[in-house]
Amino acid sequence: MRFLPRSLLNRVFLLFACISGILMMGSMVMFLHGQMTREIDDANDTGTMVIEIVAQAVADAAVVNDLDSIKRTLDAAVNRTPFGSARYIEVHGAPVVSRAPLRESDAPRIIQEMVKERLPDFNRVIEVGGRDYGVLRLGFLSESVSDYLWWTFVRTALFGMLAMAAGLLVVRWLLARWLSNLGHLQYFVDQIQAGRLDAKASVSTDAPVEIRRTLEQFNSVAARFVSTLQHEKQRAEVTLHSIADGVMTLDPERRIVYANVAAERILGQPAGSMQGRALDSVLPMQGGEGAGGGPFVKVELPDNHAAVLELSRAPLQDQQGSVSGEVLAFRDVTQDHYIRRELQRVSLAVQHAASAILTTDAAGRIDYVNPTFTAMTGYAFEEVCGKTPAFLKSRKVKPAVYVELWAAVRAGRIWRGELVNRCKDGSELWCGLTISVVLDHEGRPVQFVSVMENTTERKKAEQTIHRLAYFDSLTTLPNRRMFMEHAEESVATASRREHPLFVGYLDLDGFKHVNDSLGHHIGDSLLAAVGQRITGCLRSGDFLGRIGGDEFALLLPDASVETARRIGHSIIETFDRPFLIGGHDIQISTSIGVSLFPADGLDVANLLRRADMALYKAKEMGKRQLVLFSEDIETDKLERSQLELALHAALARKELRVHYQPKIELGSGRIVGAEALMRWNHPDKGPIGPDRFIPIAEESRLIIPMGRWIIDETCRQIREWSDAGMRGIKVAVNISAVQFRSPDLAGDIERIVASHGISPDQLELEVTESVLMEDPAGVAAIMARLRLIGLTIAIDDFGTGYSSLAYLKTFPVSVLKIDRTFVRDLETDTNDKGIAEAIVSMAAVLGMRVVAEGVETAAQAGILQAMGCGLAQGYFFGKPMDKTLFEDHWRDRQADGALAIAG
């Protein structure tokens, strides 16, 4: 509605213009429809006549097969009639066609479509003497009909618009003349506002009857309104003169315009002497808030005695709502004022108040305490009367608090705060304290009122909540929230002072094993002991917090690199002593990552993130390490993240491959098996070694689907080799610790073996020695199920771990693999040779076969064979190779029959 014209004239004119426009548009549409109907009917009539004439001429020419005459006839039909195309199609001959030149129509597409729809083609069979010679077809040139209709419509529309414009101008002139009488209303209103209450709206003789009647009624209503207004004015004046309160009106400059009889009586001045004077000269404003809640002033009356007036005020508005002055109402409350002060003192010292109330004089000496004060502090009124409240001080409140308190109350302001006071019996009392000031009529302090709430229990609860919110309940160390807040403050301080700040991140190596084997209650006690031991390694200004789980973080402000290293190594070394927890000697270690402000980050989040990266690097280096962050660590972390993302898609993209390293029978030199090794050919980075991607796969648990894939691919290949005549080959597959602990391992392998139809004993699973000792009982159960399937189990890297022989003989293991570290120096190191001989001898006692890894020379192979080692693998016999090379290698070995072993 905001787009409507504001004047009545324009609104009426707009309404008439809209209605006229709608009517004209309707008329034009009806005209176009009628004109189109007539034109199309005329065209159809013309077409009927033309096709009869053309058909006769074509029939005459068709009898004698005069195609040229037919062509001329069709051309004439197209050039001299409304038709745009003519076609004669012989029964057994080629068509004769004539077309008018194509041209663009100026008419809108909708008109063209309507014309085309209603002008059909004319068809006539050419028949002479009962014989059909062909068909004659004439098509209208719809563009010329459309153009004719369109331009007829345009010319008619232009004429109609000109006629409508002329009519609107005439209507506008008439409306302006008829409605001009309404302008007298504004003049009449202006006269009333100017105070001309006898003004009337004039009416011209040529005004329409309705407007004349409206103006006359308006004059009648205005007359009654003026009469009512005058009556109400008289009533208001009588009322104002009758009330007991003084009333004055002020103009915008705060000059007195009107004062009633009560104002004359209260102020002792006649209204005439006050009119036109400034308010401040009659009522000088002093003091503050009155007891009744309204402002009060003290005035000097003409008879030389002072009076206190309670004052209320309100803005005075004109008819437009603008402030045109002020109305003041006041009464003499001199007696009430002093009585109210006394009542206020009594109300503040109410005997049954739940809060302790203490009042003092202007010098701060106690003149009243209520019973609650005595019950709260133990001091009776007789003991404290005339004293200052200083005896309540506990010496635990900073002097600056008292300075702020006295500055506020001496300035007449209310002071609110919390203090810790001391009771008569010496106990501490937390008080929520409110001190207010009682001022005299001149604004000077005459009394101080203190209201005390006992907040001791609430303060204890707050301290408990604070401890729970900011401290770890297990270790009593600051928790993550408090650590982060303190770290933010430490970073800000270090930045301001331009001092270094070291941020350390550490966790416990092997803590999960403690929880799993000894129980979470032992793990909790261990964490508490760890917190105490780490705290003992720190300086007084250092800060330690438990972030969560077995993770701790520490802040080392103002430390050098040497100091940070010394503290870090002392923490690592203090873990060398076992923890005695619940009767258990627990041996764990810790790794620490350290970042430095500002070199490694300008905020806490980045410093912790990079300290965590350094911690991860420390664990990669074999744990029990201290690592300071460097850019290489972040680069390596980024590369690992990218490899992990790429590894997710490697299986789907078939980037993973299986290579096979031959396993040789030393006695015959024949290939009796192989070890399946996973290889990754990245599309961009090329071949990526297993030492890079296998740890990432284990960490992200991608090793489980990857391990399932290599088992499936190995079983498929075993089946393929068996079908090709390569029988008796047993292939070993490495099982990672993560995959070994998956609950579906045995079921998955059993399904895969069955799906490829191979014998289970053709598949050998290799498990590292370290896996055996993580959970011996659980490992034995998993191995037993794998053996029930018929699989062979081998212990890989044997001799590098700490497996117990007592456990080893209980495991259903068939093969021990001597680690390559004992084979490498077999020819020169007697210790390695002795270890290898011991492993071979032990395997013989336990009924196990032995496979030596990493054989690279004929001399090594000969020594191993002499020891009684039956199987070996290594570069001397063949590097890991794809299946095609392995097949060729197997055939060559089978043909040769034996391996020449030096030694």
Side-chain angles (χ1 to χ4, degrees):
M1 299 301 291
R2 60 180 180 177
F3 300 104
L4 288 176
R6 298 185 63 181
S7 69
L8 177 62
L9 171 63
N10 290 334
R11 290 191 180 191
V12 173
F13 179 76
L14 177 62
L15 176 62
F16 178 81
C18 292
I19 294 174
S20 300
I22 292 171
L23 293 175
M24 190 188 81
M25 290 301 296
S27 300
M28 293 304 300
V29 170
M30 293 178 62
F31 167 79
L32 179 63
H33 181 269
Q35 187 68 21
M36 180 184 296
T37 301
R38 287 192 297 273
E39 281 297 316
I40 290 174
D41 289 341
D42 292 343
N44 285 330
D45 292 341
T46 302
T48 301
M49 178 182 67
V50 169
I51 199 169
E52 291 295 337
I53 297 172
V54 174
Q56 183 61 46
V58 169
D60 294 340
V63 172
V64 295
N65 196 25
D66 188 355
L67 296 179
D68 291 334
S69 297
I70 294 175
K71 173 66 175 172
R72 287 192 299 274
T73 302
L74 295 181
D75 291 339
V78 168
N79 295 329
R80 301 175 184 175
T81 67
F83 293 104
S85 65
R87 179 190 297 264
Y88 170 69
I89 305 172
E90 289 185 295
V91 175
H92 302 293
V96 180
V97 180
S98 178
R99 296 183 184 275
L102 295 176
R103 67 182 186 84
E104 288 277 337
S105 173
D106 297 328
R109 183 172 296 277
I110 186 173
I111 294 179
Q112 297 181 44
E113 296 295 333
M114 292 173 62
V115 171
K116 288 180 181 180
E117 181 181 353
R118 301 181 64 177
L119 284 178
D121 293 341
F122 282 78
N123 298 300
R124 180 62 56 84
V125 177
I126 304 301
E127 179 182 18
V128 179
R131 177 185 173 186
D132 292 339
Y133 285 88
V135 177
L136 176 64
R137 177 175 297 167
L138 300 181
F140 279 100
L141 187 61
S142 61
E143 286 80 3
S144 41
V145 177
S146 300
D147 287 349
Y148 174 78
L149 289 174
W150 169 244
W151 287 112
T152 301
F153 174 80
V154 169
R155 287 190 294 272
T156 306
L158 290 174
F159 176 79
M161 290 172 66
L162 290 174
M164 179 179 171
L168 289 175
L169 290 175
V170 173
V171 170
R172 172 78 181 191
W173 178 78
L174 292 174
L175 286 174
R177 181 173 179 81
W178 292 339
L179 296 178
S180 62
N181 292 274
L182 294 178
H184 296 302
L185 288 176
Q186 183 62 47
Y187 176 79
F188 172 73
V189 171
D190 294 338
Q191 292 294 309
I192 293 294
Q193 290 179 342
R196 291 281 306 278
L197 300 182
D198 58 342
K200 291 186 178 181
S202 60
V203 183
S204 61
T205 57
D206 62 341
V209 174
E210 291 81 3
I211 294 179
R212 293 184 61 189
R213 187 177 301 150
T214 299
L215 293 176
E216 290 171 354
Q217 291 176 352
F218 188 88
N219 283 333
S220 175
V221 171
R224 290 196 298 271
F225 170 77
V226 169
S227 175
T228 302
L229 186 63
Q230 291 174 340
H231 178 71
E232 291 298 326
K233 180 180 179 182
Q234 293 172 356
R235 180 186 297 177
E237 289 177 350
V238 171
T239 301
L240 289 174
H241 283 77
S242 301
I243 63 176
D245 290 350
V247 177
M248 290 191 298
T249 60
L250 309 177
D251 62 14
E253 286 73 34
R254 296 178 61 81
R255 293 190 297 268
I256 299 173
V257 177
Y258 166 81
N260 68 347
V261 174
E264 294 179 344
R265 176 178 52 79
I266 293 172
L267 300 178
Q269 301 181 52
S273 65
M274 292 187 288
Q275 288 181 353
R277 292 172 57 188
L279 176 65
D280 292 339
S281 65
V282 178
L283 291 176
M285 300 295 177
Q286 297 178 3
E289 291 294 317
F296 63 87
V297 295
K298 183 178 181 180
V299 297
E300 193 76 17
L301 299 179
D303 57 357
N304 295 324
H305 79 272
V308 177
L309 305 182
E310 187 177 8
L311 201 68
S312 63
R313 61 187 67 194
L316 188 64
Q317 297 179 336
D318 59 17
Q319 293 180 351
Q320 283 73 34
S322 301
V323 177
S324 60
E326 191 176 12
V327 178
L328 297 181
F330 52 90
R331 65 179 62 179
D332 189 350
V333 293
T334 305
Q335 295 300 321
D336 293 341
H337 177 69
Y338 293 105
I339 295 173
R340 199 173 289 121
R341 284 186 59 197
E342 296 300 321
L343 291 176
Q344 184 179 23
R345 174 177 294 184
V346 174
S347 66
L348 289 174
V350 61
Q351 292 293 316
H352 301 289
S355 303
I357 300 175
L358 176 151
T359 64
T360 69
D361 59 18
R365 293 183 294 268
I366 297 174
D367 55 19
Y368 176 80
V369 296
N370 70 343
T372 306
F373 175 87
T374 301
M376 187 181 296
T377 64
Y379 290 103
F381 174 71
E382 294 76 16
E383 297 175 280
V384 300
C385 182
K387 296 181 180 179
T388 65
F391 62 87
L392 292 172
K393 291 183 178 180
S394 65
R395 297 183 180 179
K396 289 192 174 182
V397 180
K398 296 179 180 179
V401 176
Y402 291 112
V403 172
E404 177 189 354
L405 185 156
W406 284 108
V409 297
R410 284 169 180 160
R413 301 193 307 270
I414 296 176
W415 184 88
R416 292 183 178 88
E418 195 169 41
L419 303 177
V420 55
N421 289 328
R422 189 170 300 280
C423 298
K424 185 177 180 179
D425 60 3
S427 61
E428 290 183 355
L429 174 69
W430 280 93
C431 296
L433 191 64
T434 300
I435 301 178
S436 55
V437 187
V438 178
L439 305 174
D440 62 9
H441 57 277
E442 295 180 352
R444 293 174 299 189
V446 295
Q447 191 176 39
F448 299 103
V449 181
S450 299
V451 180
M452 294 189 297
E453 298 284 348
N454 187 346
T455 60
T456 304
E457 293 301 320
R458 178 175 62 80
K459 196 67 179 180
K460 291 179 179 179
E462 288 177 355
Q463 291 172 348
T464 301
I465 293 172
H466 181 271
R467 184 170 60 254
L468 293 175
Y470 287 93
F471 289 86
D472 176 48
S473 60
L474 187 62
T475 63
T476 69
L477 292 173
N479 61 11
R480 181 183 186 88
R481 179 179 180 182
M482 186 174 183
F483 180 86
M484 295 299 290
E485 291 184 4
H486 189 83
E488 294 285 354
E489 294 173 2
S490 298
V491 168
T493 301
S495 176
R496 186 171 59 254
R497 297 178 179 175
E498 298 183 355
H499 287 178
L501 172 68
F502 286 86
V503 177
Y505 209 102
L506 61 93
D507 68 359
L508 308 182
D509 304 325
F511 179 75
K512 183 178 184 301
H513 177 67
V514 174
N515 264 347
D516 294 343
S517 58
L518 301 179
H520 287 275
H521 64 289
I522 297 295
D524 292 345
S525 300
L526 176 61
L527 288 174
V530 165
Q532 294 175 0
R533 195 171 287 188
I534 296 175
T535 302
C537 300
L538 302 180
R539 304 170 301 171
S540 60
D542 298 336
F543 192 85
L544 174 67
R546 182 188 175 205
I547 302 302
D550 64 336
E551 297 177 345
F552 297 82
L554 53 91
L555 301 172
L556 307 177
D558 299 328
S560 63
V561 175
E562 292 74 20
T563 302
R565 288 186 182 276
R566 178 178 54 78
I567 293 174
H569 284 301
S570 67
I571 293 174
I572 292 174
E573 290 168 2
T574 195
F575 278 71
D576 292 342
R577 292 182 289 111
F579 291 84
L580 181 60
I581 306 293
H584 301 276
D585 280 337
I586 302 175
Q587 188 72 56
I588 61 171
S589 61
T590 185
S591 302
I592 306 177
V594 179
S595 62
L596 171 63
F597 172 88
D600 300 331
L602 299 178
D603 58 75
V604 176
N606 272 320
L607 290 170
L608 282 174
R609 180 175 63 84
R610 290 180 166 177
D612 188 45
M613 288 184 186
L615 171 62
Y616 188 90
K617 185 65 175 178
K619 287 184 171 295
E620 279 188 340
M621 294 170 61
K623 305 178 181 178
R624 203 180 174 278
Q625 299 288 329
L626 171 69
V627 174
L628 271 65
F629 174 83
S630 65
E631 294 296 333
D632 293 337
I633 294 176
E634 188 165 32
T635 302
D636 182 63
K637 180 71 173 177
L638 178 61
E639 183 180 5
R640 288 177 64 91
S641 299
Q642 292 173 345
L643 284 179
E644 182 180 341
L645 291 174
L647 202 53
H648 277 276
L651 274 172
R653 296 175 181 171
K654 298 181 179 180
E655 296 170 9
L656 298 179
R657 298 288 186 272
V658 180
H659 282 195
Y660 302 90
Q661 185 173 31
K663 192 178 294 183
I664 307 298
E665 186 179 62
L666 291 175
S668 64
R670 293 183 301 106
I671 296 178
V672 294
E675 181 177 358
L677 300 169
M678 191 181 299
R679 296 294 184 262
W680 181 15
N681 187 25
H682 192 280
D684 299 324
K685 301 179 183 295
I688 299 176
D691 57 326
R692 291 180 63 194
F693 71 83
I694 291 297
I696 296 174
E698 290 181 335
E699 181 183 335
S700 63
R701 300 187 66 83
L702 281 172
I703 196 67
I704 295 177
M706 290 169 62
R708 192 181 299 119
W709 172 83
I710 194 172
I711 291 173
D712 183 78
E713 182 65 19
T714 300
C715 291
R716 184 197 63 77
Q717 188 60 56
I718 292 173
R719 181 73 219 182
E720 182 180 316
W721 284 337
S722 297
D723 293 343
M726 296 172 62
R727 303 186 182 279
I729 294 180
K730 177 178 289 191
V731 182
V733 178
N734 288 285
I735 301 296
S736 74
V738 176
Q739 186 181 7
F740 189 80
R741 288 191 294 267
S742 75
D744 299 329
L745 174 65
D748 288 343
I749 295 177
E750 186 174 12
R751 284 190 293 273
I752 292 171
V753 169
S755 67
H756 290 288
I758 67 171
S759 175
D761 62 1
Q762 291 182 275
L763 182 64
E764 182 177 292
L765 302 182
E766 294 185 1
V767 182
T768 59
E769 185 180 2
S770 59
V771 173
L772 304 180
M773 300 313 297
E774 290 184 0
D775 180 14
V779 169
I782 296 173
M783 285 187 172
R785 187 175 176 193
L786 295 172
R787 284 294 294 157
L788 283 176
I789 299 173
L791 303 173
T792 302
I793 300 176
I795 297 181
D796 195 15
D797 301 334
F798 188 77
T800 60
Y802 302 94
S803 58
S804 168
L805 295 180
Y807 279 122
L808 184 61
K809 67 180 183 180
T810 64
F811 294 138
V813 176
S814 303
V815 180
L816 295 181
K817 298 190 73 174
I818 303 175
D819 188 69
R820 65 183 68 248
T821 57
F822 304 121
V823 176
R824 182 176 57 243
D825 299 325
L826 199 60
E827 303 170 56
T828 58
D829 193 322
T830 57
N831 290 328
D832 288 348
K833 185 176 180 180
I835 293 172
E837 288 177 338
I839 294 174
V840 172
S841 299
M842 181 183 64
V845 173
L846 296 175
M848 300 177 186
R849 288 177 290 130
V850 178
V851 178
E853 295 183 294
V855 178
E856 298 182 355
T857 67
Q860 293 171 348
I863 294 172
L864 290 168
Q865 185 178 0
M867 289 180 185
C869 178
L871 303 172
Q873 65 184 80
Y875 282 10
F876 178 67
F877 304 109
K879 296 181 179 181
M881 57 193 75
D882 62 28
K883 67 170 187 172
T884 303
L885 291 177
F886 182 84
E887 291 167 0
D888 295 340
H889 196 63
W890 182 84
R891 293 188 183 94
D892 293 341
R893 283 277 179 177
Q894 298 305 101
D896 292 344
L899 171 67
I901 301 176

